[in-house]
Amino acid sequence: MALFRAALGAAREGNIEQLDLLQQQLGDDYLMQGYLDFHRLRAALPELPPAAVSDFMTRYRDLPLANAMERIALGRYGLRHDWASLRALRDRPPATPELACFYWRAVHDASPQRAYEAIPSLWLSGASRPDACDPLFAAARQAGVIDDDLIWQRLLLVFRQGNPGLMRYLNGLQSETEAASGQHLRQLYNTPALILSLAPTTPRYADLAAAALHRWAHLDTPAALAGLQQLRAAQPDLAATISQPAERRIAWYSVIRDLPENRSWVDSWLREHGDEELLEQRARRAVIEQRWRDVLAWTERLPAARQASARWQYWQARAHQQTGHPAQAEAAYRNAAAARSFWGFAASDQLRQPYTFNAAPAPANEPLPPLPALQRVAMLVAVDEPALARDEWLALLRREPDHLAALAEYALQQGWPALAVDTALHAGAHDVLRWRFPQAFREQFLAAASEAGLDPYLLMAVARRESAFHSHATSPVGARGLMQVMPGTARQIAGWLDEPAPATGELYDPLLSIRLGSTYLTDLLNRYQGNRLLALAAYNAGPQRVDEWLNATTMPFDVWIESIPYYETREYVQAVLAYRVLLEHLHTPQDARRQRLVSAAERHPGYHIALLEEP
């Protein structure tokens, strides 16, 4: 184990002399040889011939590194303009834009016409394309493949993506006869109301009108509605392809922004069009306003399957309860309480009955055959390479679809809870709760909770939601580790503790992540007088936003959750509280459980700006 760790370190650093010495001790048929050969070959690129890359991919086809080696080689060959080697290695386009452009440049080198057939799929994007694409696009423009129509199509995509700089560049590529249309489009991006002054005979008017209304709806929704009505009055035959998408977008922003001046119009539009997603948003708005008859009216317009969900059964029950129909309320609560979810648990609380867990036993499984990948995973876990271990595991799941149950059990036996969660998700085993909610880092969570005076299952639930117990997880915005702590937040917490700020790489350490996360959650709970709903919302979205979401209107706890503007945060609060119930149910003796979804203090007296005052 120590030899492999040292050899892997030497391989990554490109210290081939040290690697050779260590490999002599490990032997030629060493189990982890592929990981060492990977770095050896990568260091030799792009001089390495494509046959050597292909040989690596064949020899180590079961390793997730096989595809990684190909991607690296394609990129290195492309940067060196070694088109012959690239064509020899790959006979179909890769998925990533940069490598795809290298691939088609290699094809263009031998067969320009074939490469030009791929241009529309590469070119038509609302985002900037990689620099690797520029020479291919220049050749396609010179050959007339990228013409005014293709440039215009991309301009429309870029307009909707919101990239004025790229619009300006594309406008500069247009011919003299088309440049005016591009200029109109750029003007409409900043001032969409200018569409009212353009004559319908203006070239590309239909596209300009559709784009202007799309943008206008976002910038000034009431004005966009008035503008659309003005356009339709002046042009009764305004194409449905323009007005219908504009109407829906205006309706969407009218509902989610709660624009009273558009309310009458949007309600009429919804009754006529019955757009499922917007009907749900309109029902949610009625919940937030606590207009209970409207809640019933709008939820009853939802499709039957959506209406039957625990969420909307719960809100129908609340509406029946508030409008004096206890029998209907109880029936709807019972429907909701049959689900294992936040709203199902909330309905059970209303009925004062136990929660429904709908847990299924693990399916029968056959003993696992000898699988070298399991040994490799064990080795990678032992040398603290969790990301590589997970890659191995996910590749194994794809190769062994008939052994998923056995693999999930094996992961639990080996103490790899995050890999058990991965297996449950891959197998679609949503009801096998022991796979989906295993005990992970239990002793560490118990110790941190004891030190901070926290509920350990709340901490575990946060980690389960944040990282699915993967200690090496990294979010798109840069949060890291088990508890997904941002580097800036970690520095802030270190200041509170009078400790040196941790390096970014240290945030992947489970012990440190749990300690930082528990300290931060404790601070948020103190800020919000022990209220977990507010503290969890702040953990996800930041305390400043949560402070803004509390106002002079008093809301019941459930209405406040539904009122959270951010979908991600709304779902986060629900998930963590439900996960906490599940984890305690699975891992605590019945007589020791405190599994209330929401405490009495979190229910009453209501959610109001006064919660921000000092107790």
Side-chain angles (χ1 to χ4, degrees), residues 343-526:
W343 297 113
F345 295 162
S348 293
D349 282 345
Q350 289 280 357
L351 296 169
R352 292 184 171 86
Q353 70 179 33
Y355 299 145
T356 300
F357 291 101
N358 297 318
N365 61 84
E366 307 230 348
L368 282 172
L371 297 170
L374 293 177
Q375 296 175 270
R376 294 196 296 267
V377 171
M379 176 63 78
L380 292 167
V381 170
V383 298
D384 196 24
E385 293 286 348
L388 292 179
R390 189 188 189 197
D391 288 344
E392 275 274 11
W393 188 262
L394 294 177
L396 178 60
L397 296 181
R398 292 189 291 270
R399 287 198 308 272
E400 300 291 340
D402 296 332
H403 293 99
L404 296 180
L407 287 168
E409 293 295 332
Y410 186 85
L412 291 179
Q413 293 165 12
Q414 296 298 312
W416 304 336
L419 302 185
V421 175
D422 283 337
T423 310
L425 296 176
H426 188 85
H430 302 295
D431 294 332
V432 185
L433 301 185
R434 60 190 299 272
W435 294 353
R436 290 185 58 209
F437 297 95
Q439 296 195 73
F441 304 98
R442 178 180 176 83
E443 297 308 317
Q444 294 91 328
F445 278 118
L446 290 174
S450 176
E451 181 178 348
L454 289 176
D455 171 10
Y457 290 105
L458 183 64
L459 285 180
M460 294 178 196
V462 169
R464 174 60 178 81
R465 177 65 178 187
E466 290 283 358
S467 64
F469 298 136
H470 284 288
S471 62
H472 63 286
T474 303
S475 80
V477 297
R480 289 168 166 81
L482 201 63
M483 302 292 285
Q484 289 292 276
V485 179
M486 293 288 289
T489 304
R491 289 192 292 272
Q492 181 184 23
I493 297 169
W496 298 343
L497 300 172
D498 197 24
E499 296 176 355
T504 299
E506 292 179 295
L507 298 181
Y508 296 111
D509 175 71
L511 284 174
L512 179 61
S513 186
I514 291 171
R515 184 161 176 261
L516 293 172
S518 64
T519 303
Y520 185 49
L521 186 57
T522 299
D523 179 75
L524 293 172
L525 285 165
N526 289 337

Side-chain angles (χ1 to χ4, degrees), residues 158-468:
V158 172
F159 181 99
R160 296 197 175 215
Q161 188 85 3
N163 190 335
L166 186 52
M167 287 174 61
R168 184 169 55 251
Y169 167 75
L170 293 170
N171 186 197
L173 299 183
Q174 292 180 290
S175 66
E176 290 185 11
T177 57
E178 285 287 325
S181 296
Q183 290 167 4
H184 285 317
L185 191 66
R186 291 170 57 199
Q187 291 167 349
L188 291 170
Y189 183 82
N190 295 314
T191 313
L194 290 175
I195 191 63
L196 299 177
S197 62
L198 281 182
T201 55
T202 302
R204 301 194 183 274
Y205 178 81
D207 287 343
L208 292 169
L213 288 166
H214 181 91
R215 176 74 172 160
W216 206 352
H218 173 70
L219 293 180
D220 189 339
T221 311
L225 177 58
L228 173 62
Q229 293 170 337
Q230 186 174 340
L231 283 173
R232 292 169 79 175
Q235 304 171 54
D237 59 345
L238 191 68
T241 53
I242 298 173
S243 60
Q244 288 178 3
E247 284 178 350
R248 190 194 184 281
R249 187 166 169 86
I250 291 168
W252 169 263
Y253 281 116
S254 298
V255 173
I256 65 172
R257 290 173 174 169
D258 185 26
L259 302 175
E261 59 267 54
N262 285 12
R263 176 66 64 86
S264 176
W265 173 83
V266 79
D267 283 358
S268 176
W269 187 89
L270 279 171
R271 291 188 189 99
E272 181 179 347
H273 293 85
D275 182 290
E276 181 176 338
E277 186 180 16
L278 274 175
L279 283 170
E280 197 164 49
Q281 287 295 334
R282 183 64 184 87
R284 176 174 165 262
R285 177 55 54 189
V287 168
I288 295 168
E289 294 172 354
Q290 301 180 62
R291 295 179 180 269
W292 301 110
R293 296 188 189 281
D294 287 350
V295 171
L296 290 172
W298 289 113
T299 55
E300 286 167 2
R301 288 179 173 272
L302 290 169
R306 186 69 67 96
Q307 194 177 149
S309 69
R311 177 192 184 190
W312 292 117
Q313 284 295 297
Y314 177 88
W315 286 118
Q316 284 192 341
R318 285 277 276 119
H320 283 306
Q321 195 175 42
Q322 293 293 324
T323 54
H325 299 96
Q328 291 95 320
E330 182 174 352
Y333 276 136
R334 292 198 181 282
N335 290 337
R340 181 186 64 240
S341 70
F342 176 87
W343 297 113
F345 295 162
S348 293
D349 282 345
Q350 289 280 357
L351 296 169
R352 292 184 171 86
Q353 70 179 33
Y355 299 145
T356 300
F357 291 101
N358 297 318
N365 61 84
E366 307 230 348
L368 282 172
L371 297 170
L374 293 177
Q375 296 175 270
R376 294 196 296 267
V377 171
M379 176 63 78
L380 292 167
V381 170
V383 298
D384 196 24
E385 293 286 348
L388 292 179
R390 189 188 189 197
D391 288 344
E392 275 274 11
W393 188 262
L394 294 177
L396 178 60
L397 296 181
R398 292 189 291 270
R399 287 198 308 272
E400 300 291 340
D402 296 332
H403 293 99
L404 296 180
L407 287 168
E409 293 295 332
Y410 186 85
L412 291 179
Q413 293 165 12
Q414 296 298 312
W416 304 336
L419 302 185
V421 175
D422 283 337
T423 310
L425 296 176
H426 188 85
H430 302 295
D431 294 332
V432 185
L433 301 185
R434 60 190 299 272
W435 294 353
R436 290 185 58 209
F437 297 95
Q439 296 195 73
F441 304 98
R442 178 180 176 83
E443 297 308 317
Q444 294 91 328
F445 278 118
L446 290 174
S450 176
E451 181 178 348
L454 289 176
D455 171 10
Y457 290 105
L458 183 64
L459 285 180
M460 294 178 196
V462 169
R464 174 60 178 81
R465 177 65 178 187
E466 290 283 358
S467 64

